[in-house]
Amino acid sequence: MPIEPPTTRWSLPDPCATGDDEIAGIGADLTPGTLLAAYRSGLFPMRLEAGGPIAWWSPDPRGIIPLGGLHVSRSLRRACRRFDVRVDSVFEMVVRACADPRRPHGWIDESFVAAYTELHRLGWAHSFEVWSSDPDGCDQLVGGLYGVAIGGLFAAESKFHRSRDASKVAVVALVERLRESGATLLDVQWTTPHLISLGAIDIPREEYLRRLASAISGSEDCGLQAHDR
């Protein structure tokens, strides 16, 4: 079971009190108690810019992938058979791959790597890792994603790929595990063409907050223990 950290010392902003920029507030910290309080209230952190202050975001509309509405094409099903998927075997490596400064619009810095790695140590943050064997038979990490699990919520934070479709394979594995565990809400923050192709939809913020309250009202564990697929 996840370990509950000390509560945050900050009063976090109202997730509905945003302007056109979808930012509810700026400041605070990335301690485990602050992060969990934010996700439980419908907020998530991103820096305004590289090296800038922490902003707490609450998009309207909010992107989700309905767990019963995942779109898996024939080509993606074939891709799923080409890769192995593991959970939580190299969490920090996945976060660092997502933080690669060569990626466009990269904003994940060492403070975020450290913060989410600590959440992982406490049992709240999880990674789904996509592996492929090279010609010498050595396993290579070729894609993955990470996020935060609270009750029936999985808040996906970031994903990456080094082989075609590898990040999509990670999403498929995540949705399969969430269905098995009885989770009810997969938050992807904003929809993109990539996520829409997998079934992501936009819902009004008020509807997201209602679904969030229901999702986190049950068990504090999505059942995402490490395993191979």
Side-chain angles (χ1 to χ4, degrees):
M1 292 291 290
I3 299 169
E4 189 70 38
T7 58
T8 182
R9 64 188 181 92
W10 301 96
S11 295
L12 294 177
D14 180 347
C16 294
T18 63
D20 293 340
D21 57 8
E22 301 183 323
I23 296 172
I26 296 174
D29 57 35
L30 296 173
T31 61
T34 300
L35 288 172
L36 292 177
Y39 285 106
R40 286 168 171 151
S41 69
L43 302 168
F44 60 88
M46 288 177 56
R47 294 200 183 277
L48 287 175
E49 58 188 2
I54 301 167
W56 299 94
W57 300 76
S58 176
D60 188 15
R62 188 74 164 242
I64 67 167
I65 296 179
L67 297 180
L70 182 70
H71 299 167
V72 183
S73 65
R74 285 194 296 270
S75 62
L76 181 52
R77 290 189 187 281
R78 289 194 295 270
C80 289
R81 293 193 290 269
R82 295 201 310 270
F83 299 109
D84 293 323
V85 179
R86 303 171 192 167
V87 179
D88 287 347
S89 69
V90 288
F91 179 86
E92 184 175 343
M93 189 182 297
V94 170
V95 180
R96 289 192 177 281
C98 293
D100 187 337
R102 294 171 296 182
R103 299 180 68 194
H105 313 298
W107 55 270
I108 301 172
D109 59 23
E110 282 298 320
S111 66
F112 276 79
V113 174
Y116 283 88
T117 299
E118 177 63 8
L119 266 191
H120 171 66
R121 187 188 70 81
L122 295 173
W124 298 98
H126 302 278
S127 59
F128 281 69
E129 308 134 11
V130 181
W131 298 82
S132 180
S133 295
D134 66 18
D136 295 324
C138 296
D139 289 344
Q140 300 291 327
L141 180 66
V142 295
L145 62 81
Y146 75 95
V148 177
I150 306 173
L153 163 74
F154 190 91
E157 272 298 314
S158 189
K159 62 187 184 304
F160 80 99
H161 71 276
R162 295 168 180 156
S163 292
R164 182 177 178 179
D165 290 334
S167 63
K168 290 184 178 181
V169 170
V171 173
V172 172
L174 169 63
V175 171
E176 289 177 352
R177 176 59 75 86
L178 293 177
R179 287 172 178 167
E180 293 169 0
S181 71
T184 58
L185 181 59
L186 173 51
D187 172 19
V188 296
Q189 301 175 351
W190 291 282
T191 56
T192 64
H194 171 85
L195 290 172
I196 290 170
S197 74
L198 293 170
I201 62 172
D202 287 316
I203 61 173
R205 178 165 55 205
E206 289 187 1
E207 174 63 19
Y208 172 79
L209 294 175
R210 284 194 292 269
R211 295 190 190 195
L212 172 65
S214 176
I216 66 175
S217 65
S219 167
E220 294 293 345
D221 181 20
C222 267
L224 297 178
Q225 294 86 5
H227 84 311
D228 294 354
R229 192 192 73 177

